């Protein structure tokens, strides 16, 4: 190939806020564009190409009819980056999985529900191999730049794997538990620079559970303030049900297999004019 | 002649243009929305009253602040929470921020390349980098203004029922004011750029619906008013507005009193131009936007006018906030059962959230009416009307023109399917 690495952006079910965070970078993005060639980015450009080395994919998979497109992207890309909470965890709409898909469709489309398609909300990794996950709802723009630098230099990227508490403490923010609120900081993956607690809010766990959470320490913090590990599970439902945080938190035994698909073959969306 | 544009580019989300002509007669012309529904109306059910406002902004990456504000207003209406004047001013400020960044994104990155005969702004990075830098500067200024108040433009932090978890710093606001004053030059250059661009000529009168207030240009609150002269209170939206399902769109279409209608920048400028800041009214004159304007392509021009307005408005709001000073506020909230409707003007138009809560303050039902959904039926009608006027053009030209029409509406498709 020669020349600059070719990068393509794609999206599935999401708000496109992570791509917009990239677009909102301004000058650093212009600098980045000196080192890579963006060949496909539907949201920002009409140029299109099937030839690329790096695929940046935002969004979750919610319909079986979207899977072939994702698989084509995977086949073409030598590096696939999953961008944001939807792509890495299923996203803030993952809790729609609590409900039956036909009920969801009826809720929105009423008696015409059968004309539309819904499926289980799942991260990209449920369908294809993801090389680098960038967590966050939305992503941290600086982390995106850092990942791209690693990719350009051919260096392995180490995904942040400490608890949000770590970054929160470094910034010397007031502990949310001292204000008697539940915060997912003790067990949530960092990399966000504790942006939510920086404004006196709490952590909602948008980056999912840290690998091997320090459960003893988390339990201690929780118990000290009158909570149990189980109490934080309902908040984790917001983003992380696919990743089965109840296993990571040691509340239930890990399951061997991936969560089974439910429901029968969904109706494909078709135009009918 | 068959025209199919699968996944039209330079818009938010996934949609297709389908048009066919037989012997110069239109067989069909429509915009198909194929975006996956994320079922946000179901996702918020069962969540606590103070969690719903965390989820709602995530419907949309561009207009997260509008979804945040409208969600808060719906929850506050349901729970009977009164917010302070300080909170209202800060929320109006972030609404201005969002209009600026969103309109800059559309006017420069999404719409302008068509007028310049380019596939995107990417070639300009090499050929005319100053234009791209300016676009980034305006967009970033909107982002930074959002950051000062709520830490992040997408998605806001600490904007909660009753106000904010933390008041922003007055020093940061004053510093931001300086940045905004500097931005006047970029706003003027944007007006100048659009003054030179040739907008397609096409007129089709329709009904324009927007919020309206007696005292200022309505973005954060007001009653819902139409260009026909009728109006309804926000919580009575169902008296005039009806959503319905069509098979070619995962997003619902809508009617205002049984007719298609348009929401967004053009609707607001048409309905409320007298309340625009003087600088924006001047821009309106310079850009040849004369209300009532019935050309949907002028929506992007109306966005440029609003860009100027929101810049001036945000500077004025910061001054007002500076004079009042900012204080940390304590709000006591008792959950209660009830229904609440919130209405705001998102960058793309009228946005409604309608929530029901039980005694514990858990959400039991939710409904979101999205600007792009409201525009879809009108877009289909415009597409048919416009195609009839350009049937003699080449296939490539027709395809481009129809894409330009879709882009003029600045659709936010994932938002519409939510």
């Amino acid at each position: 190939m020669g020349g600059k690495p070719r990068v393509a952006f794609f999206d599935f079910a999401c708000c496109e806020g992570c791509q917009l965070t990239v677009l909102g970078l301004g000058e650093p993005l212009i600098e980045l564009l000196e080192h890579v060639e963006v060949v496909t980015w539907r949201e920002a450009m009409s140029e299109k190409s099937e030839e690329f080395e790096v695929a940046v994919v935002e969004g979750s998979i919610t319909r079986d009819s979207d899977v072939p497109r994702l698989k084509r992207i995977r086949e073409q890309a030598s590096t696939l980056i999953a961008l944001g909470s939807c792509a890495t965890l299923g996203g803030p709409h993952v809790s729609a999985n609590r409900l039956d898909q036909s009920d969801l469709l009826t809720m929105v489309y009423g008696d015409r529900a059968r004309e539309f398609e819904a499926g289980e909300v799942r991260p990209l990794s449920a369908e294809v191999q993801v090389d680098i996950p960038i967590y966050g709802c939305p992503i941290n723009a600086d982390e995106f730049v850092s990942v791209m630098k690693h990719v350009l230099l051919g260096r392995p990227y180490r995904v942040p794997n400490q608890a949000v508490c770590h970054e929160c403490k470094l910034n010397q923010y007031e502990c949310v538990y001292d204000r008697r609120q539940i915060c997912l900081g003790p067990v949530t993956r960092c990399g966000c620079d504790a942006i939510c607690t920086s404004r006196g809010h709490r952590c909602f766990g948008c980056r999912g559970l840290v690998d091997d959470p320090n459960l003893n320490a988390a339990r201690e913090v929780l118990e000290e303030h009158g909570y149990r590990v189980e109490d934080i599970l309902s908040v984790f439902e917001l983003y992380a049900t696919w990743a089965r945080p109840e296993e990571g938190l040691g509340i239930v035994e890990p399951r061997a297999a991936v969560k089974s698909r439910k429901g029968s073959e969904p109706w494909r969306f078709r135009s009918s004019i | 002649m068959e025209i199919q544009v699968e996944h039209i580019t330079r818009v938010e989300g996934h949609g297709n243009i389908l048009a066919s002509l037989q012997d110069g007669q239109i067989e069909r012309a429509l915009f198909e929305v194929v975006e996956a529904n994320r079922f946000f109306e179901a996702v918020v059910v069962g969540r606590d009253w103070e969690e719903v406002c965390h989820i709602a902004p995530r419907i949309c990456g561009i207009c997260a602040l509008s979804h945040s504000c409208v969600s808060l207003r719906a929850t506050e209406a349901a729970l009977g929470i009164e917010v302070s004047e300080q909170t209202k001013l800060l929320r109006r400020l972030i609404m201005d921020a969002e209009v600026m960044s969103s309109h800059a994104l559309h006017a420069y990155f999404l719409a302008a390349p068509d007028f310049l005969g380019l596939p995107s702004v990417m070639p300009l990075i090499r050929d005319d980098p100053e234009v791209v830098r300016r676009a980034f500067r305006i967009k970033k200024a909107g982002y930074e203004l959002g950051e000062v108040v709520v830490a992040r433009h997408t998605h806001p932090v600490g904007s909660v029922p009753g106000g904010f978890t933390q008041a922003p710093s007055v020093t940061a606001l004053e510093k931001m004011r300086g940045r905004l004053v500097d931005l006047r030059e970029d706003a003027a250059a944007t007006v100048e750029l659009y003054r030179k661009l040739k907008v397609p000529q096409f007129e089709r009168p329709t009904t324009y619906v927007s919020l309206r207030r007696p005292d200022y240009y309505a973005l954060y609150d007001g009653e819902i008013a139409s260009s026909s002269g009728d109006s309804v209170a926000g919580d009575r939206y169902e008296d005039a507005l009806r959503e319905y399902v069509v098979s070619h769109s995962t997003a619902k279409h809508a009617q205002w009193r049984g007719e298609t209608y348009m929401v967004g920048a053009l609707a607001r400028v048409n309905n409320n131009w007298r309340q625009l800041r003087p600088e924006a009214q001047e821009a309106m004159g310079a850009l040849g936007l004369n209300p009532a304007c019935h050309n949907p392509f002028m929506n992007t021009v109306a966005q440029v006018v609003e860009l100027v307005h929101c810049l001036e408005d945000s500077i004025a709001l910061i001054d007002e906030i500076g004079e009042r000073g900012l204080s940390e506020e304590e709000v006591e909230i008792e959950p209660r059962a009830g229904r609440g409707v919130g209405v705001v003007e998102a960058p793309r138009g009228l946005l409604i959230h309608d929530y029901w809560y039980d005694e514990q303050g858990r959400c039991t039902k939710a409904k979101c009416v999205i600007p792009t959904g409201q525009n879809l039926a009108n877009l289909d009608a415009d597409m048919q009307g416009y195609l009839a006027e350009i049937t003699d053009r080449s296939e490539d030209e027709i395809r481009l023109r129809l894409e330009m029409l879709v882009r003029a509406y600045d659709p936010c498709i994932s938002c519409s399917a939510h």
Side-chain angles (χ1 to χ4, degrees):
Chain A
M1 127 211 139
K4 303 173 187 174
R6 292 167 295 186
V7 179
F9 285 82
F10 300 95
D11 47 69
F12 292 87
C14 64
C15 76
E16 300 189 9
C18 294
Q19 288 173 83
L20 284 159
T21 302
V22 173
L23 209 52
L25 271 167
E27 270 316 305
L29 179 61
I30 296 180
E31 272 173 49
L32 180 65
L33 291 172
E34 287 169 17
H35 302 283
V36 300
E37 188 188 351
V38 178
V39 294
T40 296
W41 194 350
R42 188 198 44 74
E43 187 171 12
M45 54 197 263
S46 296
E47 300 93 325
K48 273 183 201 171
S49 169
E50 300 287 319
E51 303 289 317
F52 49 85
E53 288 80 42
V54 182
V56 182
V57 187
E58 185 180 358
S60 66
I61 301 300
T62 62
R63 301 180 293 200
D64 291 346
S65 58
D66 287 328
V67 175
R69 185 161 76 95
L70 176 62
K71 295 213 159 143
R72 280 200 303 277
I73 294 166
R74 174 67 274 186
E75 274 165 29
Q76 176 60 39
S78 44
T79 304
L80 191 150
I81 298 170
L83 193 68
S85 265
C86 298
T88 53
L89 297 168
H93 50 286
V94 77
S95 64
N97 288 346
R98 290 174 302 170
L99 298 168
D100 188 72
Q101 286 146 23
S102 61
D103 290 346
L104 287 171
L105 288 169
T106 305
M107 188 184 273
V108 176
Y109 301 112
D111 55 8
R112 302 189 62 172
R114 285 166 63 88
E115 292 174 46
F116 299 89
E117 179 188 349
E120 196 167 19
V121 181
R122 53 221 193 249
L124 303 182
S125 60
E127 301 292 347
V128 297
Q129 186 202 319
V130 168
D131 300 312
I132 304 175
I134 304 183
Y135 293 95
C137 186
I139 57 156
N140 175 341
D142 295 338
E143 187 179 3
F144 175 79
V145 174
S146 170
V147 166
M148 291 309 288
K149 280 183 189 162
H150 281 77
V151 171
L152 283 170
L153 295 169
R155 300 264 174 83
Y157 177 73
R158 280 183 60 184
V159 177
N161 194 23
Q162 280 174 305
V164 171
C165 275
H166 176 75
E167 289 176 336
C168 189
K169 295 252 177 326
L170 282 178
N171 280 302
Q172 298 184 316
Y173 299 140
E174 185 193 5
C175 180
V176 176
Y177 282 96
D178 290 343
R179 293 199 309 269
R180 298 176 179 197
Q181 289 174 358
I182 281 200
C183 177
L184 296 194
V187 286
T188 296
R189 184 185 304 279
C190 72
C192 53
D193 202 25
I195 188 169
C196 293
T197 55
S198 80
R199 291 300 174 105
H201 213 184
R202 56 205 178 86
C203 172
F204 287 85
C206 74
R207 294 174 159 256
L209 201 63
V210 65
D211 299 338
D212 305 317
N214 185 342
L215 283 179
N216 289 334
R219 261 199 201 100
E220 219 169 88
V221 175
L222 286 164
E223 276 164 17
E224 193 186 317
H225 295 88
Y227 299 111
R228 298 163 307 145
V229 178
E230 285 81 355
D231 293 328
I232 60 180
L233 250 193
S234 92
V235 188
F236 257 124
E237 258 180 24
L238 279 174
Y239 291 94
T241 44
W242 181 274
R244 298 188 60 78
E246 62 276 26
E247 291 171 4
L249 292 169
I251 294 168
V252 299
E253 287 296 308
R255 261 196 209 174
V258 181
K259 203 173 174 187
S260 67
R261 299 279 170 75
K262 56 188 172 191
S264 53
E265 189 67 19
W267 281 67
R268 262 185 66 79
F269 170 75
R270 281 195 54 78
S271 76
S272 54
I273 294 288
Chain B
M1 188 190 294
E2 286 290 332
I3 291 181
Q4 288 199 10
V5 180
E6 196 194 343
H7 293 180
I8 177 176
T9 56
R10 287 189 280 118
V11 299
E12 197 284 343
H14 299 91
N16 308 330
I17 294 170
L18 300 177
S20 54
L21 285 169
Q22 189 73 37
D23 303 324
Q25 295 295 309
I26 300 170
E27 290 199 319
R28 69 167 173 180
L30 55 86
F31 187 59
E32 189 182 51
V33 171
V34 295
E35 186 75 28
N37 196 312
R38 290 167 293 154
F39 301 104
F40 268 94
E41 284 149 343
V43 166
V44 295
V45 169
R47 302 308 318 188
D48 214 46
W49 59 272
E50 53 99 38
E51 288 173 334
V52 172
C53 64
H54 175 88
I55 301 167
R58 284 155 171 89
I59 291 173
C60 183
I62 304 181
C63 47
L65 296 175
S66 297
H67 279 282
S68 168
C69 285
V70 79
S71 172
L72 291 167
R73 293 198 60 214
T75 296
E76 285 160 358
L79 272 61
I81 303 165
E82 287 286 335
V83 300
S84 69
E85 199 53 40
Q86 171 178 315
T87 291
K88 282 184 198 162
L89 287 169
L90 288 170
R91 286 186 187 166
R92 283 174 58 196
L93 188 58
I94 57 176
M95 295 293 288
D96 280 343
E98 184 165 271
V99 169
M100 276 192 271
S101 59
S102 176
H103 286 358
L105 170 72
H106 183 248
Y108 278 95
F109 294 94
L110 310 186
D114 287 329
F115 298 110
L116 303 169
L118 295 170
S120 73
V121 294
M122 297 296 174
L124 288 182
I125 293 176
R126 191 185 55 236
D127 301 337
D128 195 353
E130 176 45 32
V131 174
V132 184
R133 290 214 152 85
R134 187 202 305 146
F136 276 128
R137 273 198 302 271
I138 303 172
K139 189 165 160 49
K140 207 166 169 58
Y143 268 46
E144 285 175 5
L145 178 54
E147 279 165 30
V148 170
V149 185
V150 283
R152 195 165 58 191
H153 190 282
T154 314
H155 298 291
V157 172
S159 198
V160 292
F164 298 87
T165 50
Q166 207 174 75
S169 106
V170 175
T171 327
L173 275 175
E174 276 166 5
K175 205 170 140 210
M176 193 62 223
R177 187 190 187 281
R179 295 259 292 109
L180 293 169
V181 168
D182 292 344
L183 205 70
R184 280 178 169 147
E185 208 175 303
D186 286 334
T190 309
V191 173
E192 194 49 29
L193 171 74
Y194 264 84
R195 206 173 58 78
K196 290 189 210 139
L197 300 181
K198 206 165 165 284
V199 175
Q201 289 304 306
F202 166 64
E203 304 232 324
R204 193 186 67 86
T206 186
T207 305
Y208 297 93
V209 175
S210 68
L211 291 185
R212 186 179 62 193
R213 280 188 63 95
D215 44 0
Y216 55 78
Y217 195 75
L219 290 175
Y220 172 68
D221 51 1
E223 59 173 9
I224 307 172
S226 92
S227 53
S228 312
D230 57 331
S231 63
V232 292
D235 57 2
R236 303 287 301 178
Y237 72 96
E238 287 165 315
D239 290 353
L241 192 162
R242 185 181 73 88
E243 283 192 303
Y244 58 98
V245 176
V246 296
S247 49
H248 68 282
S249 169
T250 53
K252 286 179 197 165
H253 281 207
Q255 289 179 335
W256 177 269
R257 303 200 193 281
E259 303 286 341
T260 72
Y261 63 105
M262 189 174 183
V263 298
L266 185 61
R268 288 189 293 258
V269 170
N270 270 344
N271 290 355
N272 302 325
W273 65 272
R274 288 178 187 82
Q275 292 165 323
L276 287 168
R277 297 260 164 196
E279 295 84 350
Q281 292 199 23
E282 248 172 65
M284 215 169 77
L287 290 161
L289 173 54
N290 305 309
C293 169
H294 297 136
N295 179 357
F297 288 101
M298 290 295 276
N299 190 46
T300 313
V301 173
Q303 289 182 332
V304 174
V305 169
E306 283 194 332
L307 177 62
V308 176
H309 169 82
C310 288
L311 175 60
E312 295 303 328
D313 196 57
S314 59
I315 294 170
L317 282 171
I318 292 177
D319 288 342
E320 194 177 339
I321 293 165
E323 275 165 32
R324 294 171 52 94
L326 285 172
S327 53
E328 294 293 345
E329 299 173 324
E330 285 282 333
V331 187
E332 288 221 1
I333 296 170
E334 279 290 320
R336 69 172 199 203
R339 177 186 179 185
V341 176
V343 290
V344 300
E345 282 288 337
R348 285 156 198 75
L350 178 66
L351 171 64
I352 304 167
H353 281 207
D354 188 356
Y355 301 154
W356 285 257
Y357 284 99
D358 67 13
E359 289 80 7
Q360 281 85 46
R362 266 195 303 267
C363 186
T364 56
K365 188 180 164 190
K367 191 176 157 190
C368 307
V369 184
I370 309 291
T372 293
Q374 297 173 69
N375 274 336
L376 288 171
N378 207 65
L379 170 59
D380 280 355
D382 273 349
M383 208 182 269
Q384 283 147 24
Y386 187 49
L387 181 58
E389 290 187 11
I390 56 168
T391 50
D392 56 336
R393 313 277 179 101
S394 73
E395 190 173 329
D396 284 349
E397 171 87 11
I398 293 176
R399 182 181 297 111
L400 173 67
R401 294 271 164 168
L402 293 183
E403 285 190 26
M404 285 173 78
L405 178 63
V406 172
R407 285 189 196 112
Y409 272 82
D410 191 10
C412 197
I413 301 172
S414 19
C415 196
S416 69
H418 59 285

